[in-house]
């Protein structure tokens, strides 16, 4: 059983930064961050493979967000810079137990999910 606990969300002004953390229990898997804005579907933001050497990003966050992981601490991070009001959403951490080298952008590939953390960016 994998448990994921996100933290680090909050209220920030446009142009500001936040760092989200996801503490994971259990085995090491490929990990991803997704977000869901009110009235919208949950969408992929960023993902990393088990070693952290391979990362992928949604076009909307490329160059502004960075995903990283510390396997010694079983923690995955999402550093978010140059935030805009369009980044406002609940952010979810997720684990993909199937893929190894390929980092999936597909929600269905992620079997384990955290409870989410709210990020609000004011204009």
């Amino acid at each position: 059983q994998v448990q994921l606990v996100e933290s680090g969300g909050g209220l920030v002004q446009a142009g500001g930064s936040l760092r989200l953390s996801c503490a994971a229990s259990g085995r090491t898997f490929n990990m991803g961050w997704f977000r869901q804005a009110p009235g919208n579907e949950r969408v992929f933001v960023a993902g990393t493979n088990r070693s952290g050497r391979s990362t992928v990003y949604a076009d909307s966050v490329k160059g502004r967000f960075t995903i990283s992981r510390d396997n010694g601490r079983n923690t995955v991070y999402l550093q978010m810079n140059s935030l805009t009001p369009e980044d406002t959403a609940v952010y979810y951490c997720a684990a993909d137990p199937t893929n190894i080298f390929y980092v999936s952008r597909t929600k269905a590939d992620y079997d384990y999910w955290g409870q989410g953390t709210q990020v609000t960016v004011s204009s």
Side-chain angles (χ1 to χ4, degrees):
Q1 185 70 17
V2 176
Q3 291 186 325
L4 306 173
V5 179
E6 302 99 334
S7 61
L11 173 64
V12 64
Q13 287 189 332
S17 299
L18 280 175
R19 188 176 81 155
L20 305 182
S21 299
C22 173
S25 65
R27 295 173 54 193
T28 300
F29 296 125
N30 285 10
M31 299 293 292
W33 286 96
F34 290 74
R35 67 186 182 187
Q36 186 168 16
N40 291 345
E41 292 188 358
R42 193 173 300 187
V43 297
F44 175 81
V45 174
T48 182
N49 70 344
R50 298 176 189 203
S51 69
R53 294 192 186 99
S54 179
T55 58
V56 294
Y57 296 93
D59 288 344
S60 59
V61 305
K62 200 173 294 184
R64 300 188 298 124
F65 290 12
T66 302
I67 187 171
S68 62
R69 68 189 301 162
D70 182 341
N71 287 340
R73 290 186 167 86
N74 288 333
T75 301
V76 179
Y77 304 98
L78 185 68
Q79 177 67 43
M80 306 185 294
N81 299 329
S82 302
L83 287 162
T84 73
E86 288 68 37
D87 295 315
T88 295
V90 177
Y91 284 71
Y92 297 89
C93 172
D96 171 3
T98 302
N99 290 293
I100 298 177
F101 301 109
Y102 169 72
V103 181
S104 175
R105 301 169 184 258
T106 304
K107 191 170 49 179
D109 286 340
Y110 291 81
D111 291 346
Y112 304 101
W113 294 83
Q115 81 288 351
T117 185
Q118 176 70 47
V119 171
T120 303
V121 185
S122 63
S123 57

